[in-house]
Amino acid sequence: MRDRPEPPEPLGATTVDAHTHLDACGCETAADVAAAMDRASAVGVTRAVTIADDLSAARWAVQAAHWDPRVVAAVALHPTRTAAVTDDEFAEIERLAADPRVVAVGETGLDYYWDYSPPEAQQASFRRHIDLAKRLGKPLMIHDRDAHSDVLRILREEGAPETVIFHCFSGDAEMARVCSDAGYVLSFAGPVTFRNAKPLRAAASVPPDDLLLVETDAPFLTPHPHRGRANEPYCLPWTVRGLAELRGVPADRLAEITERNAERVFRLGELPSAAPDTTSAVSDPRSA
C-alpha cells in the first residue's frame, strides 16, 4: 500500500469531501471509518460522502453511513461495471439508494477510457440511474471520462434530475460553461492542482460559487505536492488551496462556499442521525 503524506496545515474553516471511497482507502470496520474521519476533521474536513461503484461497495457504503454521523453515502454501478447487470442487482441498488443516509445516486455515467464495458451497456445503465435519481428525488453524481458529448446528450434526452453533479470534473473551460449554464454542479479533485492540467485549471474559474464542490476521490488522484502517494479525505485542504488560488479567493472562503453547497446539494441538514443499520446491510456488507 502506498504511504500517506503528512497532514496538511489545517484549514481555517470547515468543508466537506464531496466524493471519496473510504473502503478503497482501506477502511473495513466502524473503527477504521472513525479513524479516517478523525484525521480529516483535524484539518477541517468534517464530513465526507463515501461512494460505491459496485454492489458490494454499495452495501458497505450504506453501512458506513450508519456507523459515523460524519459520513453519508452515494450508491450506483460505476460505468466500468455495467457489462452484465442483472435486474436483481439493479433492484438491490435501488433499495440501497433509497436509504435515508444515501444522499446521491452515483457514481454513474460513461467511461470511454477503459475497455471494461461496451458503450451500449454503459449508456443503458446510465439511463436507468438517471431515472432512479429522478424517482428518488436525489442528486445524480456523474463519472465522465472521455465521454463529454454522450454524457450531455443522454442528460438532454432523458431529462436531467433536479441536481446533477459532475464528480472529478475533467472538462475544459467550454465544457464548464455548458455545464454551468445547465445548472450542473462541478466538483473539483486533485487534478486541478496539477501544473500540466492546463485546460482543467482554466475551467476552475468558470462555475459560479453556488455550483462548486471539492472532493478527494480518494484513494486516487492525490493532489500536488503529493501526487502518486496515497490519498484520503484529510488530503482535501491541498485541493481547496489550489482551487482557491485559481479562483482568486482565500482558501477559507472557498472552504465555506463548498461546505454550504454540499449542505444544500446533499440536504445534509435533513438527514436522520447515524444509527446501526438493520435493514440496508447484511452481516457481511461485502458478501454477494
Side-chain angles (χ1 to χ4, degrees):
M1 184 176 179
R2 296 176 300 169
D3 63 318
R4 294 195 300 257
E6 290 297 312
E9 179 183 350
L11 294 166
T14 58
T15 194
V16 178
D17 185 349
H19 187 112
T20 191
H21 300 263
L22 289 176
D23 58 337
C25 292
C27 294
E28 296 182 359
T29 66
D32 294 336
V33 171
M37 290 310 301
D38 286 347
R39 288 189 288 272
S41 295
V43 297
V45 183
T46 55
R47 287 170 289 183
V49 186
T50 192
I51 312 299
D53 61 4
D54 63 18
L55 192 51
S56 63
R59 298 185 188 112
W60 186 88
V62 174
Q63 191 160 17
H66 284 268
W67 282 337
D68 194 303
R70 298 168 292 184
V71 175
V72 293
V75 301
L77 297 173
H78 191 280
T80 60
R81 313 278 189 171
T82 58
V85 180
T86 69
D87 287 342
D88 286 346
E89 288 171 334
F90 196 82
E92 186 168 0
I93 288 291
E94 290 199 25
R95 180 176 66 83
L96 292 165
D99 186 279
R101 290 193 60 82
V102 171
V103 298
V105 173
E107 58 186 288
T108 180
L110 303 175
D111 189 317
Y112 293 167
Y113 178 82
W114 297 108
D115 189 24
Y116 295 138
S117 180
E120 296 79 13
Q122 293 188 45
Q123 292 179 23
S125 178
F126 185 29
R127 292 178 192 274
R128 292 183 77 172
H129 283 91
I130 292 171
D131 174 69
L132 176 60
K134 289 194 289 189
R135 284 190 282 113
L136 292 176
K138 295 187 178 184
L140 182 76
M141 184 178 286
I142 291 178
H143 172 104
D144 167 26
R145 189 167 188 187
D146 293 353
H148 302 328
S149 60
D150 277 355
V151 166
L152 293 172
R153 173 180 59 82
I154 290 171
L155 284 171
R156 289 193 302 268
E157 290 173 354
E158 295 297 316
E162 181 179 350
T163 302
V164 172
I165 303 161
F166 275 75
H167 118 77
C168 192
F169 181 75
S170 60
D172 59 11
E174 178 56 29
M175 176 71 173
R177 279 189 285 271
V178 170
C179 290
S180 297
D181 288 346
Y184 301 154
V185 178
L186 306 187
S187 185
F188 288 89
V192 80
T193 69
F194 300 167
R195 301 302 181 187
N196 62 347
K198 292 181 180 179
L200 175 62
R201 287 166 65 82
S205 61
V206 171
D209 284 352
D210 64 338
L211 296 180
L212 195 67
L213 292 172
V214 286
E215 63 172 85
T216 58
D217 199 18
F220 317 106
L221 304 177
T222 310
H224 177 82
H226 298 290
R227 186 176 182 178
R229 298 180 70 179
N231 198 9
E232 208 178 88
Y234 79 85
C235 297
L236 188 61
W238 284 304
T239 298
V240 170
R241 292 185 171 109
L243 182 58
E245 181 180 359
L246 292 170
R247 290 178 66 87
V249 299
D252 292 350
R253 172 64 177 151
L254 189 84
E256 292 170 350
I257 289 168
T258 53
E259 179 176 60
R260 184 171 63 246
N261 291 343
E263 289 172 345
R264 183 192 78 246
V265 166
F266 298 123
R267 300 175 185 170
L268 298 181
E270 303 173 18
L271 295 177
S273 299
D277 179 20
T278 59
T279 60
S280 295
V282 292
S283 57
D284 178 359
R286 296 175 186 271
S287 64

